[in-house]
Amino acid sequence: MSLVELRNVSKIYHLGGEEIRALDNVSLDIESGEFISIIGPSGSGKSTLMHILGCLDSPTSGTIKLDGTMIQGASPRELARIRNRKIGFVFQFFNLLPKLNVLQNVELPMVYSGVSARERHERAVAALKMVDLENRSKHRPSQLSGGQQQRVAIARALVNSPKIIFADEPTGNLDTNTGEAILQLFCKLSREGSTVILVTHDPEIAAVTPRRIEIRDGKIAEKVDARLAGLDRVARTF
Amino acid sequence: MNFLNAILIGFKEVWAHKFRSLLTMQGIILGVASLVAMAAVVAGMENGMKETMIATGGADKVLLQQQPVPAYQEHRADEAPGRTMVDVQALRKSAPLIRLVSPEMAFQEYVTITHGDKMVNPSECVGVWPAVLDMNLHTLEHGRFFNELDEENANSVCVIGTGIRDELFGNPEKTGQEIVPIGELININGQPFTIVGMFTHYESEQERKERELAKSKPAEKRAGPVRKRGWGGRGGWAFYSKNYTIYIPLNTMWLKFRSATGTNSIPDPRLTDIDMKVASLDLLEPALQQVRNVLLLTHKGIEDFSFQTQENQIENINTQIHKARLSGGIIAGISLLVGGIGIMNIMLASINERIREIGICKAVGATGSAIFLQILVEAVVIAVVGALLGLFASYNVVELVTIMAPSQNAPVIKPEVMVIAMLFSAGVGIIAGLFPAFKAAKLDPIQALRRD
């Protein structure tokens, strides 16, 4: 059974009486442990796809199954719960809360899932260790560089051990070197078994993932890089 | 998301914008301060009024007053007997709902009391029965009250209030010692009387405190001759007049001063006052009926009397207190309402400013109710912190009020009013927070995340 099953999903917006099909009858399967990129030019519907996959939005029609649960008809409350437990987000603009320090930012998802303060602290420190930022836990986001902020955001995405990690243009706001480091971090996560989905407009970034889903005008044109996919699998057997 | 956490984050949010929060709170601060101060002033007023009422004889006292003969009986006006000892005896025998009857006979001229080179004009110099002690709630501190023998023999004895002593023999605050002039002779309108007893010093709670304060501070040295500042002396009129009372036996009054001083020197047996106390306040109405029935008999059916009860005074006190409370409460309520609107305004601005933060929280799994709780708690925290500051401010407001309008009745800050003010503020915070919290909870995470 796939981790995510999208069947005939459409998302239709109405803007000024005009019907816009952001997603047009999309079907998609994502297996556990995959490293996928969703690419497409702006306006192609890739963000809409990510929002629907990430349970931030509901489709107009079609069904979604995430980790065995049907979620297309879920209430906002249930969606929030699923986002909290099963999904981690990394955004282009980091989206850390400026008033909280690094540790508190990482603790935030656990606050909403009702984890006890002691366990929150332990798990947040462990997550920060994974991104090599445990010595910055008392700093404010504004005192960190862009790359460090993005690593905090990744730690926050990881801290509730989600089934899927979504990264929306995670390198879009970083210089090339830092961006490269962040991508390496995602590769590392993928090798360690996480399901990672990168959303980007940049084919070069998409090139690091074995599976690429290209979106144009709300439809999927999928390409799989067999060589990278094979390498990936070989790498994991070690 | 537990409640404690929400409160903690609420405090952080308030602390992060200290000045803005303070400005937001000012409505609540002023509202609570004025509410507590108003209640304190009204409580002081109430205390003063109640003290005065007790000083004048308590709630169960009924005055029998003279009244012109009604129009339909005017042809019999010259038969109207007025209030006499006949009434007193009849009431004592035939009106069991009246537990105490106290006749009073006063001078018909101005009263002057002298002792040596000192002179005083008492507020009240009347001939009475010992029943007057219970009637006017007097406490005898020194000596004795006159007894039946004094009454029978019309002895020239008197019992005085401390005010009379102060004037004739010296004030303990000035002489530094308490003078008890028992056995001294004084002259009442030229007639010698022996002092056999003296009442305690009556004063209000406020006066007592002031006197004790004055005792602890030595008086300033003044140049020039000894002089009084102002007339009348300390205290409210009720306590003042009670202290300047002098009582003599009723019979003495009758024989020495009244039996030959009526119109054209015809003896005038009419009393100046008949005071009564009812057996129980619940039986006030039947008791007054009973008195009326008895008196109509002794007065040959002529209704030349009426009653005055303290009921009216209690009612007056209650309506006055009620009015003062209402007007103060409305002002404080409006202030709190404005404070609430201020909080709502700031909360709306604040969630607009933090729309992206709210989006982030939602993206990482905050439910609508968690956001709702957060914003609501923040509004309540602002309101409650404001209320606490308001409670501190209320002390200063009360100080200010006492400086600006010093009165006999010191304001009394009541803890229960403080609790009410706190609860009311918290309620205002909740109501003010509801709409912004609802708005924040309903935010679409995608839209919120897109905002810069």
Side-chain angles (χ1 to χ4, degrees), chain B residues 101-130:
Chain B
V101 183
S102 166
E104 284 184 16
M105 188 180 270
F107 278 93
Q108 282 178 327
E109 64 262 35
Y110 201 61
V111 186
T112 306
I113 299 170
T114 58
H115 172 78
D117 57 350
K118 302 275 175 55
M119 178 198 111
V120 64
N121 300 112
S123 64
E124 195 179 28
C125 178
V126 287
V128 290
W129 279 359

Side-chain angles (χ1 to χ4, degrees), chain A residues 148-162:
Chain A
Q148 287 169 325
Q149 288 191 47
Q150 195 61 298
R151 270 146 65 196
V152 175
I154 292 169
R156 181 179 67 187
L158 290 172
V159 78
N160 253 355
S161 322

Side-chain angles (χ1 to χ4, degrees), chain B residues 239-446:
Chain B
F239 298 99
Y240 170 79
S241 62
K242 207 165 170 177
N243 281 330
Y244 278 75
T245 294
I246 178 161
Y247 287 140
I248 61 176
L250 186 71
N251 220 9
T252 314
M253 172 63 94
W254 167 241
L255 289 175
K256 275 212 155 69
F257 299 107
R258 285 290 290 271
S259 56
T261 55
T263 318
N264 302 324
S265 287
I266 296 166
D268 181 1
R270 284 179 297 183
L271 296 167
T272 24
D273 260 318
I274 297 177
D275 297 348
M276 299 170 287
K277 280 208 168 170
V278 293
S280 142
L281 260 184
D282 307 331
L283 294 174
L284 185 66
E285 285 303 320
L288 292 185
Q289 260 324 317
Q290 207 169 53
V291 173
R292 185 169 175 271
N293 292 343
V294 171
L295 291 184
L296 279 179
L297 267 174
T298 54
H299 286 225
K300 298 174 247 170
I302 301 171
E303 201 162 359
D304 61 344
F305 56 87
S306 66
F307 303 106
Q308 195 197 337
T309 60
Q310 302 269 55
E311 244 186 337
N312 299 343
Q313 211 183 333
I314 297 168
E315 232 164 64
N316 277 346
I317 290 174
N318 285 343
T319 46
Q320 275 190 54
I321 295 300
H322 184 72
K323 277 178 190 160
R325 267 200 198 130
L326 198 70
S327 53
I330 286 172
I331 292 168
I334 288 173
S335 181
L336 282 175
L337 189 76
V338 172
I341 293 170
I343 291 179
M344 190 191 282
N345 194 13
I346 289 297
M347 291 313 293
L348 283 174
S350 161
I351 61 162
N352 220 25
E353 195 180 87
R354 285 149 61 194
I355 218 163
R356 201 183 162 83
E357 277 178 41
I358 293 166
I360 297 166
C361 290
K362 286 204 148 183
V364 301
T367 53
S369 50
I371 301 285
F372 184 85
L373 182 72
Q374 185 57 52
I375 301 295
L376 195 63
V377 163
E378 230 175 277
V380 174
V381 163
I382 290 179
V384 169
V385 171
L388 282 174
L389 292 178
L391 291 187
F392 283 116
S394 66
Y395 277 99
N396 301 319
V397 172
V398 166
E399 290 280 303
L400 202 69
V401 167
T402 28
I403 290 168
M404 286 197 313
S407 72
Q408 284 308 313
N409 314 309
V412 185
I413 293 181
K414 288 182 161 180
E416 61 261 35
V417 175
M418 290 185 153
V419 172
I420 290 171
M422 284 295 287
L423 291 179
F424 198 77
S425 308
V428 165
I430 288 172
I431 292 169
L434 276 180
F435 178 60
F438 184 72
K439 225 180 135 185
K442 280 275 159 274
L443 275 177
D444 180 22
I446 300 169

Side-chain angles (χ1 to χ4, degrees), chain A residues 51 56-57 77 80 83-84 89 91 93 95-99 104 108-109 111-112 114 120 156, chain B residues 1 5 12-13 16-17 354 356-357 360-367 369-370 445-446 449-450:
Chain A
H51 290 151
L56 283 166
D57 207 352
R77 194 183 177 78
R83 283 201 298 275
N84 187 237
F89 284 103
F91 299 96
F93 298 105
N95 280 350
L96 300 171
L97 296 185
K99 279 170 214 146
Q104 288 165 330
L108 192 65
V111 169
Y112 293 117
R120 261 193 338 241
R156 181 179 67 187
Chain B
M1 187 73 181
N5 226 311
K12 268 186 193 157
E13 197 61 43
H17 309 277
R354 285 149 61 194
R356 201 183 162 83
E357 277 178 41
I360 297 166
C361 290
K362 286 204 148 183
V364 301
T367 53
S369 50
I446 300 169
L449 277 173
R450 273 194 195 134

Side-chain angles (χ1 to χ4, degrees), chain B residues 8 22 24 34 42-43 46 59 77 97 110 116 132 154-155 164 180 232 257 267 291 318 320 358 365 392 406 437 439:
Chain B
L8 202 73
L22 195 69
T24 314
S34 56
V42 172
E46 196 177 357
L97 287 178
Y110 201 61
V132 78
N155 285 342
I164 307 283
V180 183
F257 299 107
V291 173
N318 285 343
Q320 275 190 54
I358 293 166
F392 283 116
K439 225 180 135 185

